[in-house]
Amino acid sequence: MMSGSSSPQGGSRPMMSGSSSPWMEREAAAILPTYGRRPVVFVRGSGMRLYDDDGREYLDALSGLSVTSLGHAHPAVTEAVARQAATLVHTSNLFFTTPQIELAERLADTLGWADGRSFFSNSGAEANEAAIKLARRHGKRRHPDKVNVVALHGGFHGRLLGPLLLTGNPAKHEPFQPLGGWVTHVPHDDAAALTRAVDERTCAVWLEVVQGEGGVRSVPEDVLQAARSACDAHDALLVIDEVQTGIGRLGSWYGWQQTAVEPDVVCLAKALANGLPIGATVARGAAAEAFAAGDHASTFGGGPVVTAAALAVLDTVARDGLVEHAAAMGTALRRRLEELVTAQPLATGIRGRGLLQGLELAGDVAATVVGAALDAGLVVNDVAPDVLRLAPPLIMGDAELDQLAERLDAALSTAARAL
Ligand SMILES: *Cc1c(COP(=O)(O)O)cnc(C)c1O
């Protein structure tokens, strides 16, 4: 229905973020207005490159929000999807399907959890929702009131009602209250406050190793250790949301592997199938015993096509050494950002880890810099009013990093002149 209207390549639309396309008017009439989109219509991607409907080329340093970690149209994923789509797409979870079982085994391997077991869903929010229900079943087996959760200010866990309440941003709760009173939030950097908040009614402590949507903010090691100790003392589960940080982005398969703590449950999604919708909730030990038949379900969850895609992702990351490569490129990216902090008055600091980096700016100018970056052919996002997020794909090479740094430098200069 939409085919036949693609634009010719190499068009001459001026390089400015105020450009418009007929698609934008059609969207306004047809799509509920939940998204504030940038005025670009992407129609094609390859590796770290994206192309808009005028044929303009962009360097993608955001990976669709930490999702397309192997770059766009990666041949291994394309091949796995095409092969599986031609073989078997859907049967429901009333039956066994082989890619789902293989993927669960592979995830347990990458986590180093011999007793790890997975539940598959379709998104990050759903991976967290499944973990909420799992933690409640764990808690209620011990005491009928053991259903509360302690989470962190600035944490983000998705937009379904349960994950929304876990999300440590009151402005996101307000339009949808009441959401229930089972979550206590504590500051992301206060170990003592976290210890005080956990009690015998706590079934889980919830956190990210690096808060992604919360502005690329690392959670300090002493808070992670306090969370682990409090969970052990009160027979609660430590749930680490690795939806944004998992599958190599921080330079290890999972962010927690760079810390001294080990969670009971991890939530995965974003990069797991390089852009196909998937969520995974992986549990070990007592947590892996919490669910019984009928406790949770998903019609599409763990379907053959997305799990085949995820297997291709895990194979490629392992075969091409992309976890180690991400660690090396993360260090190189940081060095380039440090140069920008020295050279550009608008850039004031850096935070983050591996290939998830935040560039701190002098004031609430991130939206302006994002617009200037798009004009310069670079995709980044304003994760906070004064912080730019960079999450380039794990496949980024040296030449692409050079170009990223050049275009970001140009964008910062343009933005500084415009302000
Ligand atoms: C993006 C994100 C989610 C939500 O994922 P969706 O697929 O958008 O539901 C949950 N947790 C974290 C840490 C995320 O970054």
Side-chain angles (χ1 to χ4, degrees):
M1 166 181 108
M2 302 271 176
S3 59
S5 59
S6 63
S7 308
Q9 301 300 298
S12 57
R13 173 147 36 104
M15 289 171 121
M16 51 187 291
S17 52
S19 318
S20 72
S21 150
W23 289 109
M24 294 174 197
E25 282 164 42
R26 286 172 63 175
E27 148 136 355
I31 304 282
L32 286 168
T34 63
Y35 298 109
R37 300 192 207 269
R38 293 275 165 186
V40 182
V41 181
F42 287 125
V43 295
R44 187 164 68 83
S46 174
M48 199 169 159
R49 309 280 163 180
L50 281 167
Y51 301 86
D52 72 11
D53 62 344
D54 252 353
R56 267 200 74 203
E57 171 269 334
Y58 299 76
L59 192 69
D60 184 1
L62 188 62
S63 307
L65 298 170
S66 306
V67 170
T68 50
S69 284
L70 301 187
H72 298 282
H74 191 284
V77 179
T78 303
E79 195 276 328
V81 168
R83 181 173 30 83
Q84 189 60 49
T87 306
L88 181 68
V89 172
H90 181 81
T91 64
S92 89
N93 281 304
L94 296 175
F95 306 99
F96 294 84
T97 47
T98 58
Q100 181 176 142
I101 299 165
E102 287 181 65
L103 178 60
E105 290 172 350
R106 292 291 304 280
L107 285 176
D109 281 350
T110 59
L111 284 154
W113 293 355
D115 61 348
R117 297 206 277 184
S118 291
F119 177 87
F120 291 109
S121 53
N122 312 289
S123 67
E126 284 180 67
N128 278 275
E129 179 76 15
I132 293 167
K133 291 179 72 178
L134 182 101
R136 281 209 175 185
R137 294 300 300 134
H138 173 89
K140 286 172 82 73
R141 289 225 169 76
R142 284 148 182 84
H143 188 281
D145 296 331
K146 194 173 176 63
V147 297
N148 293 342
V149 173
V150 175
L152 303 186
H153 289 307
F156 181 84
H157 304 291
R159 306 291 195 135
L160 295 172
L161 291 178
L164 178 61
L165 185 57
L166 290 180
T167 292
N169 180 351
K172 297 287 181 208
H173 299 167
E174 206 283 320
F176 304 104
Q177 293 285 16
L179 294 169
W182 47 276
V183 181
T184 303
H185 288 99
V186 297
H188 82 284
D189 56 356
D190 188 340
L194 188 145
T195 301
R196 276 197 305 278
V198 178
D199 62 22
E200 70 280 4
R201 294 196 173 188
T202 305
C203 69
V205 173
W206 227 272
L207 49 82
E208 298 151 274
V209 171
V210 176
Q211 295 185 329
E213 300 309 304
V216 191
R217 222 190 295 264
S218 287
V219 172
E221 181 74 30
D222 67 326
V223 172
L224 300 177
Q225 292 186 20
R228 183 66 271 174
S229 302
C231 287
D232 291 343
H234 294 281
D235 201 2
L237 300 179
L238 177 59
V239 181
I240 299 193
D241 183 346
E242 296 261 5
V243 165
Q244 185 150 173
T245 50
I247 321 295
R249 176 147 300 279
L250 301 191
S252 51
W253 274 104
Y254 305 99
W256 66 263
Q257 292 168 332
Q258 296 180 31
T259 76
V261 306
E262 186 161 12
D264 302 293
V265 179
V266 295
C267 299
L268 304 174
K270 291 195 162 93
L272 179 52
N274 207 50
L276 279 84
I278 189 170
T281 306
V282 193
R284 70 175 175 102
E289 309 296 327
F291 270 157
D295 279 343
H296 201 38
S298 167
T299 298
F300 291 124
V305 176
V306 294
T307 47
L311 278 165
V313 168
L314 298 185
D315 280 344
T316 302
V317 170
R319 189 195 58 221
D320 295 351
L322 291 178
V323 174
E324 299 75 16
H325 182 68
M329 292 310 287
T331 305
L333 172 61
R334 240 190 125 81
R335 210 169 294 131
R336 304 307 291 265
L337 295 177
E338 276 160 12
E339 288 167 14
L340 290 177
V341 169
T342 306
Q344 288 283 353
L346 225 47
T348 57
I350 305 158
R351 59 206 208 195
R353 211 178 282 177
L355 288 177
L356 181 58
Q357 294 290 336
L359 183 64
E360 297 169 351
L361 301 172
D364 291 352
V365 298
T368 305
V369 176
V370 169
L374 277 175
D375 292 347
L378 177 69
V379 180
V380 291
N381 107 302
D382 44 333
V383 70
D386 58 347
V387 184
L388 216 61
R389 170 171 40 188
L390 292 99
L394 275 50
I395 52 140
M396 178 169 67
D398 293 334
E400 290 161 324
L401 176 59
D402 285 347
Q403 200 169 44
L404 186 167
E406 277 163 26
R407 291 185 182 184
L408 186 53
D409 187 43
L412 287 163
S413 296
T414 306
R417 280 196 301 273
L419 286 164

